Every structure is written in C-alpha cells, then in structure tokens.
Amino acid sequence: MGTTTITETYTTVDVENVVRRFKADLKMIADSTGAMSDGDLAKYVHDVELLAKKGYLAWIDVTLLSGGFERNAVRYTVDTDAGSLDTSRPGGVMWPKVAQPEIRVILSYTSAYDDDARAALAARLDFTWSPTSASTDHASLSGSGGRDYTSNAFGMTRTDFSK
C-alpha cells in the first residue's frame, strides 16, 4: 500500500487577493478614461475571479480604444507558480480621456476550460464571453514592464502598453 501527498501552493483566498489588485487597476482605468461603468467593472471582476478560482484563466487583456484605434493596453498573465515574483501595489494605469472611448476586455483560457467546463460555468458568469478575432499583439503600442501581483504561488504579471 502506498501513500499520496497533495500539496496546494495557493488557495482561493490567494486568488481573491490577486484579483483585488487587478480590480484596483481596472477601477483606475475606468475612472481615468470614463469608459467603463462601475456595474460593468464589477461584472468583469466577478468573471475573472470565478474563472481564476477554477483554474480556467490564462490571461486578461484590457485595451483602451479611441475611434477604434488602440491608445493604451495592459495584459495580465496568470502565473500559478509565482513564488519567484515580488508583489507590487496596484497603480500606474491612469489612462487619458479620449474621444469615442471604449474599453475592450478579452480573456484567454487554459486548456482545462473545455466544452463541459464552459457549459457548467455559463450560468454563473455575468457576461456571455464569445470568441473574437481582435488582435491583442498591440503592434501600434510600445510595451513596458508592469507590476507583479502575487499571493503565495498565485499571481498575475502585468505588462503595460502605450503610445
């Protein structure tokens, strides 16, 4: 007879701690651009947290568009082995007010988010997420280092993009 040991390196509380930092960033973006309501912000944060807790979230891309053109963007890449990252305070995402502002949020999923998982989770999500052909390479913007948000081994690495 053998024994098995399972070690969890992060908990749902760790995910909540990191998502709270993401929420603070998104709130700064919403407030500085005027392009997202508090209601939509709460819905995005809810869906991000739910997907992250289930292990289905790979990254989040948030882009400010003005008349359909990219002005600023930020990418949050999920790291489930974030022990080597140093945690940062949220901030530094005060984006400009622009004409015809639109905030686009795109999520990418892990391979675990299969058809069965999608069906099981659909009723619990605040938004109906659908595939997109929108580019998230931000070729018209310059990338720069961002911040790392961690709690134990769960984290998100933020990369900023701007004109």
Side-chain angles (χ1 to χ4, degrees):
M1 231 162 96
T3 61
T4 303
T5 302
I6 297 174
T7 303
E8 290 193 17
T9 55
Y10 65 90
T11 66
T12 57
V13 173
D14 294 317
V15 174
E16 290 167 1
N17 289 337
V18 172
V19 171
R20 197 171 20 256
R21 291 178 181 103
F22 163 77
K23 178 183 179 181
D25 278 358
L26 196 58
K27 177 74 172 146
M28 285 181 229
I29 291 168
D31 289 349
S32 65
T33 64
M36 180 184 293
S37 70
D38 286 343
D40 280 349
L41 182 137
K43 290 177 184 180
Y44 284 122
V45 171
H46 169 269
D47 286 0
V48 162
E49 185 171 304
L50 180 61
L51 290 161
K53 283 181 176 178
K54 296 287 189 181
Y56 298 150
L57 188 63
W59 52 259
I60 311 151
D61 190 272
V62 181
T63 304
L64 172 63
L65 303 164
S66 175
F69 296 98
E70 291 187 347
R71 287 294 311 260
N72 292 76
V74 63
R75 163 86 50 107
Y76 298 86
T77 304
V78 172
D79 187 341
T80 57
D81 188 19
S84 65
L85 300 178
D86 291 325
T87 198
S88 303
R89 291 180 157 273
V93 286
M94 302 300 287
W95 290 354
K97 287 200 180 289
V98 295
Q100 301 173 314
E102 177 188 350
I103 298 288
R104 179 184 71 201
V105 178
I106 296 176
L107 305 181
S108 178
Y109 311 106
T110 64
S111 60
Y113 197 47
D114 58 17
D115 290 340
D116 291 339
R118 288 175 200 271
L121 215 54
R124 294 180 57 200
L125 294 170
D126 284 342
F127 286 109
T128 301
W129 296 91
S130 56
T132 181
S133 61
S135 173
T136 59
D137 68 3
H138 307 300
S140 66
L141 303 175
S142 298
S144 63
R147 298 169 187 248
D148 295 327
Y149 302 141
T150 64
S151 183
N152 290 316
F154 186 84
M156 289 185 187
T157 297
R158 187 182 96 192
T159 305
D160 298 306
F161 299 88
S162 60
K163 284 271 181 206

